[in-house]
Amino acid sequence: MPVITCIDDLKALHRARTPRMFYEYCESGSYTEQTFRENTADFDRIRLRQRVAVDLSDRSTASTMIGTDVAMPVALAPVGMCGMQRADGEIKAARAAEAFGVPFTLSTMSICSIEDVAEATQAPFWFQLYVMRDEAFVDDILARARAAGVSALVLTLDLQLLGQRHRDLKNALTAPPQPTLANAIDMADPRRWRWIAEMLATRRRTFRNIVGHAKGVENLSEIHNWTAQQFDPRLDWDKVARIRDEWGGKLILKGILDPADAGRCADLGADAIIVSNHGGRQLDGALSSIRMLPSILREVGDRTEVWMDGGIRKGQDILKAIALGAKGTMIGRAYLHGLGAMGEAGVTRALEILRRELDVTMALCGERDVRNLGRHNLLVPGDFEGSWQE
Ligand SMILES: Cc1cc2nc3c(=O)[nH]c(=O)nc-3n(C[C@H](O)[C@H](O)[C@H](O)COP(=O)(O)O)c2cc1C
């Protein structure tokens, strides 16, 4: 077993231990992957100010996100097919998040259902909704989320249709995998056998939020066609307002990358918005989330909490986002690498790595409390924002 010191170490194990189609489903962006690459690269352009001779005892990474206490300002982002990275992946990730003290978000496109996760955890979790054409399905899933004690709805606005990911098509991505020669060869690798054994031992191998709940959906293993048929291309601000009213609880709007849209979300009374380009999986060519964050913060001020996701692989990245003004962050791949590498223990390890990096970096910046981070901790290149013409 290699010594694990950073998220990249978990990523290498994830790659070795997981069938190729699922690792590549995680580790890819749409089209040329420019936005996917820049989400991480742009963090590295921001530099930190080293300060010395500050009492660094009694440090804290604790904060709040929409009034919830968090051990650090990080939530687990909704990810589809988490339960294909490892059997029962959503349950494992939710348990790790609960024990660590950060929120977990369950995707509509998860393998384990809302009820599966509620049964396996104590703390309330968040549920992410994709708006489907079938309105009865949306009504029903909101009622199921309420019945399961879900404490906030994350409504994703940047995926009414799917940005193409070449690798998913080339790998013929399905859940569960089809018995093809290519898959058989891939799974013959002994490093995948634990994945296979755990998958054979669970009954959760397809989209349990949907199959048996949505009308006429018995088999949606071919996710790309299904998404094209079912996701609602008519989703507009009126519909967002209707869903807000129907839900009636805390609402987080995800996939906001433009100040004008952020303003609309604040007008609608969102409790938080997530500055996000879906991890570079949708509009290829969009700017990175970290780069769009300052202009969105300027637009909405303190009318709503502003969080960001996309490209966080280190505690230093979390620090930079918070110091730029985000109240919270979300991580996708950073925890999926932990899950694919080592299951529940791997998600815990990913969270520990990020918190330790955040804590030490904060201290070396001369700060004891994550809530005191600000622009004074950063050196931001002159062309970081504002050099793009409309
Ligand atoms: C494999 C994968 C599946 C995803 N599935 C969903 C999803 O079902 N719903 C959603 O709102 N976002 C989804 N996302 C986007 C994440 O919620 C988040 O915005 C993104 O992962 C953040 O970027 P990062 O992975 O660089 O941290 C997915 C991302 C990945 C990597």
Side-chain angles (χ1 to χ4, degrees):
M1 179 80 175
V3 179
I4 292 162
T5 60
C6 59
I7 298 294
D8 271 351
D9 292 340
L10 292 171
K11 179 174 161 181
L13 276 180
H14 178 195
R15 181 178 201 152
R17 294 180 175 177
T18 309
R20 194 171 89 173
M21 71 165 67
F22 300 120
Y23 174 79
E24 292 194 345
Y25 168 66
C26 167
E27 196 53 20
S28 59
S30 55
Y31 303 102
T32 70
E33 304 191 328
Q34 178 185 30
T35 299
F36 170 52
R37 286 190 300 275
E38 289 184 358
N39 271 349
T40 45
D42 281 346
F43 271 112
D44 295 338
R45 298 192 62 216
I46 302 174
R47 299 303 177 90
L48 302 172
R49 291 183 64 187
Q50 172 178 307
R51 301 302 304 273
V52 297
V54 176
D55 176 1
L56 295 173
S57 50
D58 295 328
R59 295 186 307 280
S60 171
T61 59
S63 189
T64 59
M65 291 169 77
I66 53 164
T68 305
D69 287 328
V70 289
M72 60 179 170
V74 175
L76 270 51
V79 291
M81 289 203 268
C82 197
M84 282 291 133
Q85 303 297 345
R86 268 289 170 115
D88 301 329
E90 292 87 0
I91 289 176
K92 289 172 179 160
R95 282 192 177 143
E98 177 174 356
F100 196 88
V102 292
F104 171 76
T105 317
L106 184 73
S107 165
T108 298
M109 300 307 290
S110 56
I111 301 295
C112 301
S113 67
I114 297 175
E115 293 79 9
D116 291 332
V117 174
E119 205 182 298
T121 53
Q122 308 290 318
F125 55 97
W126 299 343
F127 174 67
Q128 175 266 328
L129 178 69
Y130 280 131
V131 178
M132 308 283 180
R133 292 171 200 255
D134 177 353
E135 293 189 352
F137 171 78
V138 173
D139 295 344
D140 179 56
I141 203 157
L142 289 178
R144 288 168 56 202
R146 219 175 285 117
V150 162
S151 57
L153 182 71
V154 177
L155 180 58
T156 297
L157 298 177
D158 61 1
L159 199 145
Q160 283 164 270
L161 43 82
L162 205 59
Q164 179 170 306
R165 276 166 253 131
H166 301 321
R167 289 193 242 181
D168 291 352
L169 297 177
K170 293 189 166 102
N171 289 332
L173 175 72
T174 57
Q178 299 299 304
T180 61
L181 181 62
N183 287 342
I185 293 169
D186 185 46
M187 306 242 188
D189 183 336
R191 296 174 302 174
R192 318 270 209 259
W193 289 356
R194 183 177 181 149
W195 183 96
I196 297 172
E198 289 183 4
M199 208 52 86
L200 290 173
T202 183
R203 62 184 192 285
R204 304 182 187 95
R205 289 195 288 263
T206 190
F207 299 87
R208 287 165 63 88
N209 275 333
I210 295 170
V211 173
H213 294 280
K215 230 184 358 230
V217 178
E218 300 310 328
N219 176 1
L220 75 173
S221 60
E222 216 293 72
I223 187 173
H224 279 79
N225 288 341
W226 189 87
T227 310
Q229 288 158 17
Q230 296 296 324
F231 282 33
D232 190 351
R234 297 161 308 180
L235 176 61
D236 60 10
W237 292 112
D238 288 340
K239 193 146 197 177
V240 173
R242 284 205 299 281
I243 290 170
R244 172 199 64 194
D245 295 343
E246 181 175 351
W247 170 247
K250 292 210 168 158
L251 179 69
I252 301 160
L253 296 177
K254 177 171 185 284
I256 310 303
L257 207 64
D258 190 276
D261 289 340
R264 295 294 294 261
C265 296
D267 294 343
L268 275 164
D271 294 280
I273 61 171
I274 307 171
V275 178
S276 173
N277 49 39
H278 217 99
R281 297 163 79 79
Q282 285 292 97
L283 179 62
D284 187 38
L287 284 185
S288 65
S289 307
I290 193 66
R291 204 143 170 168
M292 291 308 295
L293 178 65
S295 57
I296 289 179
L297 280 161
R298 271 197 302 279
E299 175 68 29
V300 299
D302 55 11
R303 288 197 293 148
T304 182
E305 283 190 19
V306 178
W307 308 342
M308 66 80 59
D309 74 18
I312 293 176
R313 304 288 184 275
K314 312 182 286 292
Q316 290 88 331
D317 302 335
I318 300 167
L319 185 148
K320 289 171 184 175
I322 301 296
L324 271 184
K327 181 86 167 72
T329 63
M330 280 195 161
I331 52 168
R333 297 177 182 89
Y335 94 77
L336 286 179
H337 293 327
L339 180 70
M342 292 157 49
E344 184 175 335
V347 178
T348 303
R349 184 68 72 88
L351 291 168
E352 282 169 356
I353 287 170
L354 292 173
R355 181 166 58 185
R356 209 164 300 135
E357 290 171 342
L358 171 61
D359 175 49
V360 170
T361 307
M362 184 175 84
L364 295 177
C365 288
E367 299 287 350
R368 281 198 303 262
D369 191 324
V370 78
R371 287 167 300 186
N372 294 337
L373 293 171
R375 285 294 276 248
H376 61 278
N377 300 117
L378 303 178
L379 294 165
V380 183
D383 68 343
F384 194 71
E385 40 172 327
S387 60
W388 303 90
Q389 303 289 316
E390 273 180 31

